[in-house]
Amino acid sequence: MPRSILTVKCMKSSTPITETLRHISVDGVVLGYGDGKLKVLLRRESIEHDGKVTIEWKLPGHHIRSNETVEETAIRTLYEQTGMRNIFLKQFHVFSSLDRLHRREFDFAWIRKHGVGEWRVITVGFYALVNLKNISLADMSPEAEWREISGIGELIFDHREILDAALEKIRHDLYLEPVLFELLPDKFTLTDLQNIYELIMGRSVDKRNFRRKAISKAYIVPLAERQTGVAHRAAGYYMFNRKIFDKEMQED
Amino acid sequence: MPRSILTVKCMKSSTPITETLRHISVDGVVLGYGDGKLKVLLRRESIEHDGKVTIEWKLPGHHIRSNETVEETAIRTLYEQTGMRNIFLKQFHVFSSLDRLHRREFDFAWIRKHGVGEWRVITVGFYALVNLKNISLADMSPEAEWREISGIGELIFDHREILDAALEKIRHDLYLEPVLFELLPDKFTLTDLQNIYELIMGRSVDKRNFRRKAISKAYIVPLAERQTGVAHRAAGYYMFNRKIFDKEMQED
DNA sequence: ACAAAAGTGTTCCCGGTACACCCATGG
DNA sequence: CCATGGGTGTACCGGGAACACTTTTGT
């Protein structure tokens, strides 16, 4: 019986061997901002069924290894997919429906193709916010693609449900504190900040109120620099001061 | 090789067999209110090490079965422990430290005694709120015990951490909506409600403000009935209207 | 000059918080 | 009559939301 189809739990061996835990995975909802659009990282999967090949989409995710926490799995996955480290990452929900991998024909087809998934798998959903400018496309896995949120249709497995749950959670978390800086370049205008806020929240907000609130935060610091070469009044740049932010957060 | 030490993932069989998933468990922080105290459900574990027997405490938890969701595991666990159904239950975090089952000598001793835990186990934390009056002690597992929150010391594994995280999450959730009715009998006084609130929040609040807020909720409905036989002015009873509550919640 | 986005103040309402005294009942 | 907890109102403050016009710049 070849070792590769056995997992660590089946072994009597007392030496710790790094192995994959097939019943537990992590799926990441990674949001990025670029070209004025809110995007999510998906993996392209070509699937054969009924003799036709279709393209389906999937959230990036991996099974956890026996020597990592779920957080470490999420960090590793994100690094492998985008080449990025030091990303804001947060676990938000466990998905464990019995039929989550077996809802539609292309779910079965994907599983047949990859020869996995005979097993029950529960998954821990994470969300992450990243700035597309910081990502070199060369570092990204070739199947990975940033797709605009508003155009996403069905996804493989229960990934559409996971995506929607992540968005809901992000909106909730954002209501408390605008952790949007992860999505933005180092210097940004308040209009940039507001654009992203509105994209995520799915509604527009009053400019004056939004600016007042943003400026009142000590961790959003104005820079002397302004835009140049724009065909309208030049906006002032701001930056995010993580030290002040972290200090304020730990006071709560 | 006896089947019992294999888990479902090791089988080639295509028939679904209900089996336990050894890498995934659910632990429940079940809070109850009785005798004016806030209590948590723990299991008594007698553990031998260094030739001595000590009593240690543990949160109720179980490994999930291949035919249940983590929510179903939590519901089943709670039913098996307390005989209660229809309880407010909420998943709040996944705990997956590598050393979570191996921090102290009595952790190892427990694992030796039960012959499990050679495996890496991640656990999904749930919290629940129950009314101790609704629980017949006869239905409770004999090792289970309601212990006052304020007197809890160390627990086995990372269960103290799970308990603390649950309390923090409950305080956070409570701040939004007082879901305390689960802890109370069908009819209760506003003072009862405030007592529990203060026990959980760990601080006292202004009586007038608390009452104003409670009365303003449509789902807290005053009854005509009052206390009898008390050596002071009789308090009015209130009840919780779940229909109104559910309706308000789904509007958010 | 005009198009295009930047920038700016005031008012209203609501929820949270601080604060102190009289009322009903049983013993 | 007194001990015990039940029950009540007002004022302040801060954050959120609604609302419209002037300023700067490039073309």
Side-chain angles (χ1 to χ4, degrees):
Chain A
M1 207 167 180
R3 165 179 283 179
S4 63
I5 70 160
L6 280 175
T7 58
V8 66
K9 75 177 177 191
C10 297
M11 294 185 223
K12 252 323 206 187
S13 157
S14 61
T15 56
I17 295 176
T18 298
E19 200 103 11
T20 293
L21 304 189
R22 286 200 172 84
H23 289 287
I24 309 169
S25 68
V26 163
D27 284 304
V29 174
V30 187
L31 297 187
Y33 178 70
D35 307 329
K37 321 251 178 174
L38 187 64
K39 303 184 181 183
V40 62
L41 184 65
L42 296 179
R43 288 177 65 88
R44 193 186 316 105
E45 303 284 337
S46 57
I47 292 185
E48 277 184 62
H49 69 97
D50 292 348
K52 292 176 300 195
V53 174
T54 58
I55 302 294
E56 303 292 344
W57 298 90
K58 186 174 170 304
L59 291 174
H62 283 74
H63 285 264
I64 87 165
R65 293 178 183 158
S66 57
N67 65 340
E68 32 176 44
T69 64
V70 290
E71 284 76 16
E72 285 162 352
T73 308
I75 290 167
R76 171 174 60 84
T77 300
L78 195 51
Y79 179 67
E80 289 170 357
Q81 292 286 317
T82 67
M84 292 188 81
R85 291 190 188 279
N86 295 320
I87 294 305
F88 182 89
L89 257 171
K90 189 163 172 181
Q91 85 166 240
F92 67 93
H93 197 74
V94 173
F95 297 85
S96 62
S97 309
L98 295 184
D99 67 345
R100 57 179 291 275
L101 304 182
H102 309 283
R103 291 182 183 174
R104 287 149 311 180
E105 183 51 42
F106 58 74
D107 296 335
F108 286 102
W110 190 93
I111 287 170
R112 274 196 304 274
K113 174 176 173 183
H114 290 80
V116 297
E118 297 280 331
W119 302 280
R120 172 76 190 293
V121 181
I122 76 164
T123 197
V124 184
F126 276 76
Y127 74 77
L129 305 173
V130 305
N131 177 3
L132 296 189
K133 295 264 168 53
N134 295 345
I135 296 175
S136 77
L137 291 183
D139 286 338
M140 282 183 53
S141 135
E143 301 82 25
E145 201 167 298
W146 294 99
R147 303 204 56 217
E148 193 177 346
I149 282 270
S150 55
I152 309 282
E154 276 198 310
L155 301 175
I156 290 183
F157 304 149
D158 59 346
H159 287 191
R160 177 75 217 203
E161 185 184 330
I162 296 175
L163 170 59
D164 291 339
L167 287 170
E168 195 171 325
K169 187 59 161 60
I170 290 170
R171 289 186 189 119
H172 179 262
D173 290 352
L174 224 57
Y175 195 77
L176 300 174
E177 279 304 324
V179 198
L180 294 165
F181 315 103
E182 316 288 343
L183 293 162
L184 285 165
D186 291 342
K187 60 183 186 188
F188 54 85
T189 67
L190 295 184
T191 304
D192 292 335
L193 189 60
Q194 185 174 349
N195 281 341
I196 298 185
Y197 186 84
E198 292 181 342
L199 278 171
I200 296 180
M201 296 308 247
R203 63 187 171 92
S204 54
V205 297
D206 182 84
K207 183 164 55 156
R208 283 165 290 193
N209 294 335
F210 184 83
R211 286 168 161 261
R212 189 179 15 257
K213 183 169 174 177
I215 294 169
S216 76
K217 303 289 178 183
Y219 51 80
I220 300 182
V221 296
L223 303 176
E225 198 178 347
R226 310 185 76 75
Q227 284 179 326
T228 53
V230 288
H232 54 77
R233 180 168 175 178
Y237 283 120
Y238 289 77
M239 65 170 288
F240 174 54
N241 185 318
R242 185 174 297 274
K243 270 184 196 154
I244 299 176
F245 179 79
D246 289 343
K247 200 190 301 169
E248 283 193 12
M249 288 307 92
Q250 81 191 43
E251 278 166 9
D252 291 342
Chain B
M1 207 168 180
R3 164 178 284 182
S4 64
I5 70 160
L6 282 174
T7 58
V8 66
K9 74 177 178 192
C10 297
M11 293 186 222
K12 251 322 202 188
S13 156
S14 61
T15 56
I17 295 175
T18 299
E19 200 102 13
T20 294
L21 303 189
R22 286 202 171 82
H23 289 288
I24 308 168
S25 67
V26 163
D27 283 304
V29 175
V30 186
L31 298 187
Y33 178 70
D35 307 329
K37 320 249 178 177
L38 186 64
K39 304 184 179 182
V40 62
L41 183 65
L42 296 177
R43 288 177 65 88
R44 194 185 315 106
E45 303 283 338
S46 57
I47 292 186
E48 278 186 61
H49 68 97
D50 294 346
K52 292 177 299 195
V53 174
T54 59
I55 301 293
E56 304 292 344
W57 299 89
K58 189 176 167 303
L59 291 175
H62 283 75
H63 286 264
I64 86 166
R65 293 178 183 160
S66 57
N67 65 340
E68 33 177 43
T69 64
V70 290
E71 283 76 14
E72 286 162 352
T73 308
I75 289 167
R76 170 174 59 85
T77 300
L78 194 52
Y79 179 67
E80 288 169 1
Q81 292 286 317
T82 67
M84 291 189 82
R85 290 191 189 277
N86 295 321
I87 294 306
F88 182 88
L89 256 171
K90 190 163 171 179
Q91 77 164 250
F92 67 94
H93 197 74
V94 173
F95 298 85
S96 62
S97 309
L98 295 183
D99 68 344
R100 56 179 292 274
L101 304 183
H102 309 281
R103 291 182 183 172
R104 289 150 306 185
E105 182 52 42
F106 57 74
D107 296 335
F108 287 101
W110 190 91
I111 287 170
R112 272 196 304 274
K113 174 175 173 183
H114 291 79
V116 296
E118 297 282 330
W119 302 280
R120 173 76 191 293
V121 181
I122 75 165
T123 197
V124 183
F126 275 76
Y127 74 77
L129 306 174
V130 305
N131 177 1
L132 296 188
K133 295 264 168 54
N134 296 343
I135 296 175
S136 77
L137 291 183
D139 286 336
M140 282 183 54
S141 132
E143 301 82 25
E145 200 166 299
W146 293 100
R147 303 204 56 215
E148 194 176 346
I149 281 270
S150 56
I152 308 284
E154 276 198 310
L155 302 175
I156 290 183
F157 305 148
D158 60 347
H159 287 191
R160 177 74 216 202
E161 185 184 331
I162 296 175
L163 170 60
D164 290 338
L167 286 170
E168 195 170 325
K169 188 58 162 59
I170 290 169
R171 287 185 189 120
H172 178 263
D173 290 352
L174 225 58
Y175 195 77
L176 299 174
E177 279 304 324
V179 199
L180 294 164
F181 314 103
E182 316 288 344
L183 293 162
L184 286 164
D186 291 341
K187 59 183 186 186
F188 54 85
T189 68
L190 293 184
T191 303
D192 291 335
L193 189 60
Q194 184 173 352
N195 280 341
I196 298 185
Y197 185 85
E198 292 181 341
L199 279 172
I200 295 180
M201 295 309 247
R203 64 188 171 92
S204 55
V205 296
D206 183 83
K207 182 163 57 158
R208 283 165 291 192
N209 295 334
F210 184 85
R211 287 169 159 260
R212 192 182 9 257
K213 183 169 174 178
I215 294 168
S216 76
K217 304 287 178 185
Y219 52 79
I220 300 183
V221 295
L223 303 176
E225 198 177 348
R226 310 185 77 75
Q227 285 178 324
T228 53
V230 286
H232 53 75
R233 181 169 172 178
Y237 283 119
Y238 289 77
M239 65 171 288
F240 173 54
N241 184 320
R242 185 174 296 274
K243 271 185 197 156
I244 299 176
F245 179 79
D246 289 343
K247 200 188 304 171
E248 284 192 13
M249 290 305 94
Q250 81 190 44
E251 278 165 12
D252 291 342

